[in-house]
């Protein structure tokens, strides 16, 4: 399994533009917004973050002005735009968007609904990037508590929450607790997805970072070597995740 190459994303973009023309010909706003969202996601993969953020903003504005968009559609669009701003480091723009999305999903769907948890998880990522670790940990813990209660042990969303909480604990200096959480996520991903799946390799790399922080440099290096070897085989030598595995 290999991730989509840059040249492939360019070809996908051409196909999506044709899909957009078809959606507009059918005068289907929902199809048009869905296709525009896929175009924006493709632009993100190509590193065109500014263009993607502008497109997400245009989608959200159009949806807010239309009776055809459901509240759920608007919350998804808010989340997409907030994530894009977060990736670009424009935290002051991302924060109110996340707040609006969290308030809406909590009110309309409930505090434990998957859509609400997804937005809370992304808001926690924002707080982590802003070095507001206490707030980030509270949100990650809240999401994990619900997913642990409602999802099977090897569910991907539950495993993602274990990993996220573990890495946040590391940022707060709780190395042993972080190690336990990330090991659990790694073991679960290995069982559920296989040892070469990108999410498994992400957890393996995270465990290496934890061991390095603990001063276990030989263990950390062995884990990094293992992650690098598998990423080269799965993703290719030029993929971003391969290049940042050091």
């Amino acid at each position: 399994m290999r991730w989509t190459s840059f040249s492939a994303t360019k070809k996908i973009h051409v196909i999506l533009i044709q899909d957009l023309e078809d959606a507009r010909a059918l005068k289907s706003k929902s199809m048009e917004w869905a296709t525009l969202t896929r175009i924006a996601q493709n632009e993100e993969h190509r590193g065109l973050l500014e263009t993607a953020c502008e497109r997400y903003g245009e989608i959200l504005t159009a949806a807010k002005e239309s009776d055809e968009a459901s509240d759920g559609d608007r919350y998804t669009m808010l989340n997409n735009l907030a994530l894009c701003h977060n990736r670009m480091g424009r935290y002051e723009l991302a924060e109110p968007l996340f707040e609006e999305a969290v308030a809406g999903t909590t009110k309309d769907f409930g505090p434990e609904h998957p859509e609400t948890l997804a937005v809370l998880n992304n808001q926690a990522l924002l707080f982590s990037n802003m070095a507001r670790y206490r707030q980030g940990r509270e949100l990650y813990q809240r999401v994990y508590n619900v997913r642990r209660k409602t999802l099977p042990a090897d569910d991907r969303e539950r495993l993602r929450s274990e990993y996220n909480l573990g890495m946040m604990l590391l940022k707060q200096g709780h190395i042993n607790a972080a190690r336990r959480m990330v090991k659990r996520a790694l073991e679960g991903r290995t069982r559920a997805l296989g040892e070469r799946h990108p999410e498994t390799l992400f957890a393996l790399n995270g465990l290496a970072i934890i061991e390095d922080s603990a001063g276990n440099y030989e263990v950390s290096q062995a884990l990094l070597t293992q992650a690098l070897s598998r990423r080269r085989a799965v993703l290719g030598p030029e993929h971003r995740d391969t290049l940042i595995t050091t």
Side-chain angles (χ1 to χ4, degrees):
M1 171 183 164
R2 290 182 178 272
W3 282 24
T4 307
S5 67
F6 180 79
S7 60
T9 60
K10 292 176 69 176
K11 293 177 182 178
I12 292 170
H13 182 77
V14 174
I15 295 171
L16 289 173
I17 293 300
Q18 182 59 58
D19 289 345
L20 179 60
E21 292 177 2
D22 293 342
R24 285 172 172 167
L26 292 170
K27 298 183 179 180
S28 170
K29 287 296 184 183
S30 60
M31 287 179 60
E32 180 178 341
W33 294 329
T35 306
L36 284 169
T37 298
R38 289 164 61 200
I39 290 173
Q41 290 168 340
N42 180 270
E43 288 165 341
E44 285 192 88
H45 288 312
R46 294 162 61 200
L48 305 173
L49 294 180
E50 185 67 52
T51 302
C53 285
E54 290 177 1
R55 197 177 300 278
Y56 284 131
E58 291 168 0
I59 298 168
L60 177 61
T61 298
K64 284 186 172 182
E65 295 173 351
S66 173
D67 294 332
E68 294 185 38
S70 67
D71 288 337
D73 290 335
R74 294 188 186 94
Y75 301 145
T76 297
M77 293 168 188
L78 281 166
N79 185 60
N80 289 339
L81 180 56
L83 278 173
C84 195
H85 284 316
N86 185 31
R87 287 190 65 187
M88 293 196 69
R90 298 191 298 217
Y91 306 137
E92 74 285 355
L93 297 179
E95 187 168 9
L97 294 169
F98 278 132
E99 289 175 352
E100 185 178 350
V102 168
T105 54
T106 301
K107 176 177 178 290
D108 291 344
F109 304 144
E112 297 190 357
H113 190 277
E115 293 293 334
T116 305
L117 298 179
V119 179
L120 285 170
N121 184 80
N122 293 333
Q123 189 180 36
L125 174 62
L126 171 68
F127 288 147
S128 176
N129 291 340
M130 297 173 75
R132 289 160 59 177
Y133 299 138
R134 181 185 60 79
Q135 290 171 283
R137 178 181 173 182
E138 288 175 356
L139 291 185
Y140 277 139
Q141 185 73 60
R142 177 176 163 187
V143 173
Y144 175 63
N145 288 345
V146 175
R147 287 176 172 170
R148 182 177 58 181
K149 179 177 65 175
T150 59
L151 299 174
D154 289 347
D155 180 88
R156 288 175 72 171
E157 294 302 322
R158 174 171 168 172
L159 294 171
R160 186 172 289 118
S161 286
E162 287 178 342
Y163 177 82
N164 289 340
L165 180 56
M167 297 308 290
M168 178 58 76
L169 287 166
L170 176 64
K171 289 182 178 181
Q172 292 188 302
H174 304 299
I175 292 177
N176 290 333
R179 182 189 289 115
R180 286 194 298 271
M181 293 294 293
V182 173
K183 270 189 173 181
R184 194 182 306 157
L186 174 59
E187 291 166 358
R189 286 177 173 177
T190 301
R191 287 191 303 270
L193 305 173
E195 65 178 17
R196 291 192 166 198
H197 191 279
E199 291 182 27
T200 305
L201 299 179
F202 208 73
L204 185 63
N205 194 74
L207 185 58
I209 293 171
I210 292 171
E211 295 299 349
D212 182 77
S213 298
N216 300 324
Y217 303 123
E218 291 185 4
V219 175
S220 175
Q221 188 58 50
L223 292 170
L224 282 174
T225 299
Q226 190 177 20
L228 179 60
S229 174
R230 292 176 182 174
R231 278 177 166 165
R232 280 175 175 163
V234 175
L235 306 175
E238 300 303 320
H239 190 277
R240 176 182 176 277
D241 285 358
T242 303
L243 296 174
I244 65 174
T245 306
T246 57

